[in-house]
Amino acid sequence: MIEKLLLKLRARDSLSPVEETALREGIAEVRDYPADKTFVREGELLNFSTLLIEGLVCRYKDLSGGERQIAAIHVPGDFVDLHSFSLKRLDHSIMTLSPCKVGIVPHDRLTKITETLPHLTRLLWFSTNVDAALHREWELSLGRRDALSRTAHLFCELQARLEVVGMAEPDGYDLPLTQTELAECLGLTNVHVNRTLKVLRERGLVDFRGHRVTIQDREALEQVAEFNRAFLYLDRRVF
Amino acid sequence: MIEKLLLKLRARDSLSPVEETALREGIAEVRDYPADKTFVREGELLNFSTLLIEGLVCRYKDLSGGERQIAAIHVPGDFVDLHSFSLKRLDHSIMTLSPCKVGIVPHDRLTKITETLPHLTRLLWFSTNVDAALHREWELSLGRRDALSRTAHLFCELQARLEVVGMAEPDGYDLPLTQTELAECLGLTNVHVNRTLKVLRERGLVDFRGHRVTIQDREALEQVAEFNRAFLYLDRRVF
């Protein structure tokens, strides 16, 4: 259940058997959700956090006119709303992008971890801080990268994150995202995304079709994106 | 030194005398910086976090062409880079927007807090999660709000945050920000910001001139911004 989470955490630091057990025993229940299900609603009171075991989910915010901004995508092994442990209610909603399997981790079990396992606490705190780093990189994309660079950057980000949990090949990965959802990540219109994907494909950088991302030229793609994986904090550190 | 931090934390939960002392004793040194000084550089190894005592600072990321995106603004009482405690190196730089007084909090003192004071640890973790919530709201602004609504939203956000630490009057606050820096927050050009400020003023919503924000009609301004203060997490909670 927590193998992909362990892969992610161990890319950064060592975990003791006691810490691993605490994580395993954190999961009270496993749930299956269909695609396009909003399973956490903005503002509702939460007493558990959700670990993504299989599938893709996103966090999103809507304006009153229905315009949606996706604020982050989560891949298996991500502790999707670990931040709800301290926030209690979220400022955004969380929706599955594909059929998903999730682990429900009651907040009282997380409280117990903070009372007894300070190193693991710091590691979990860290992982919410990495989520914030992803938000900042998206702010840079939305505010300053042009449509081509912005779209290229998202494909690079997902390649790197999926590689850590063994879900990407060197030449690409599955991405069950519609063009509309992609537009909602990128702050663009559907038409603009469609045109941008065409340019990326014709320039031999990346091809996104049929829910599959095929990286045609990773180096050139990363250059167009100004992609620097430092913001993913994948290097080893001591907590 | 930490009075504004205490105001912010106590808006959310109670602090024991022991916790308050731990925070006071966390500050090893106080430094004064002039305006426009980048005092944390992207990628450098950090062994301390910075508490903002006086002045305004921002976190920013640059593209290679020099385009800058400000990812957040910090006001007195903010633990500006508390997230560097777990990240060790930052994916962005931090710069003063005005002359500032900051407290330097060595990471080993924060480690000690996580080893001995779990409730205070959860409160500090929470405050980094609120920083992430601000990032998400900016993603929504940058991706989906139009220039008018986006600019209005930033003025509403700062009014609410400065009120908590006693630095805003009901009709406005000082904001030592140039028009260029405002553009770098909003992902707009200087010209676009200038035009937008004019519209906001002429519509009787808000006037930003001479480093002073004057709220002309708060209700109407918040309506244009679709401002909902829930993302600031100012309500009481139990950690």
Side-chain angles (χ1 to χ4, degrees), chain A residues 59 61 64 68 71 86-87 89 91 114 122 125 128-129 135-137 139 144 226 233 237, chain B residues 59 61 64 68 71 86-87 89 91 114 122 125 128-129 135-137 139 144 226 233 237:
Chain A
R59 310 199 227 162
K61 292 172 84 103
S64 63
R68 174 164 297 181
S86 64
L87 296 177
R89 299 173 194 274
D91 51 276
T114 66
R122 291 191 292 270
W125 186 353
T128 63
N129 287 342
H135 290 327
R136 281 190 291 278
E137 195 65 38
E139 287 183 77
R144 292 303 185 208
E226 292 200 27
Y233 294 90
R237 61 198 60 235
Chain B
R59 310 201 226 161
K61 294 173 84 102
S64 64
R68 173 164 299 178
S86 64
L87 296 177
R89 298 174 194 274
D91 51 275
T114 66
R122 292 192 291 271
W125 186 353
T128 64
N129 287 342
H135 291 327
R136 282 190 292 277
E137 195 65 38
E139 288 183 75
R144 292 302 186 210
E226 292 199 27
Y233 293 92
R237 60 199 62 235

Side-chain angles (χ1 to χ4, degrees), chain A residues 116-180:
Chain A
T116 54
L117 297 169
H119 173 265
L120 181 58
T121 300
R122 291 191 292 270
L123 206 50
L124 294 177
W125 186 353
F126 162 81
S127 78
T128 63
N129 287 342
V130 173
D131 286 344
L134 300 186
H135 290 327
R136 281 190 291 278
E137 195 65 38
W138 283 38
E139 287 183 77
L140 177 61
S141 278
L142 292 165
R144 292 303 185 208
R145 285 189 174 93
D146 63 25
L148 197 77
S149 171
R150 196 186 297 184
T151 308
H153 197 279
L154 180 60
F155 290 134
C156 292
E157 174 194 318
L158 291 171
Q159 172 81 15
R161 290 171 64 198
L162 288 167
E163 274 173 351
V164 177
V165 290
M167 294 182 65
E169 294 78 50
D171 72 333
Y173 50 91
D174 292 330
L175 185 66
L177 216 65
T178 65
Q179 207 154 290
T180 300

Side-chain angles (χ1 to χ4, degrees), chain B residues 17-182:
Chain B
V18 171
E19 291 173 326
E20 189 182 321
T21 302
L23 284 175
R24 279 191 202 286
E25 294 181 346
I27 299 178
E29 185 192 338
V30 173
R31 292 185 190 162
D32 287 287
Y33 294 131
D36 300 320
K37 181 180 171 61
T38 293
F39 62 93
V40 171
R41 285 201 180 275
E42 181 178 338
E44 75 180 315
L45 193 61
L46 299 165
N47 59 12
F48 63 86
S49 289
T50 308
L51 174 69
L52 185 55
I53 299 170
E54 280 175 31
L56 275 197
V57 311
C58 72
R59 310 201 226 161
Y60 68 90
K61 294 173 84 102
D62 289 341
L63 291 178
S64 64
E67 304 90 337
R68 173 164 299 178
Q69 179 62 43
I70 293 179
I73 289 182
H74 285 291
V75 304
D78 284 356
F79 225 138
V80 175
D81 61 345
L82 181 53
H83 54 305
S84 79
F85 168 54
S86 64
L87 296 177
K88 315 295 185 201
R89 298 174 194 274
L90 294 184
D91 51 275
H92 55 89
S93 299
I94 306 180
M95 182 180 84
T96 58
L97 294 166
S98 68
C100 286
K101 191 183 282 299
V102 304
I104 303 297
V105 182
H107 286 166
D108 54 10
R109 299 192 189 182
L110 292 169
T111 302
K112 201 176 155 212
I113 287 176
T114 66
E115 304 280 352
T116 54
L117 298 168
H119 173 264
L120 180 58
T121 300
R122 292 192 291 271
L123 206 49
L124 293 176
W125 186 353
F126 162 81
S127 78
T128 64
N129 287 342
V130 173
D131 286 342
L134 300 187
H135 291 327
R136 282 190 292 277
E137 195 65 38
W138 283 38
E139 288 183 75
L140 178 61
S141 278
L142 292 164
R144 292 302 186 210
R145 284 190 175 93
D146 64 26
L148 197 77
S149 170
R150 195 186 297 183
T151 308
H153 197 278
L154 181 60
F155 289 134
C156 293
E157 175 195 317
L158 291 171
Q159 171 82 17
R161 290 171 65 199
L162 287 167
E163 273 172 353
V164 177
V165 291
M167 293 181 66
E169 294 76 50
D171 72 334
Y173 49 92
D174 292 330
L175 185 66
L177 217 65
T178 65
Q179 206 153 291
T180 300
E181 287 158 350
L182 192 59

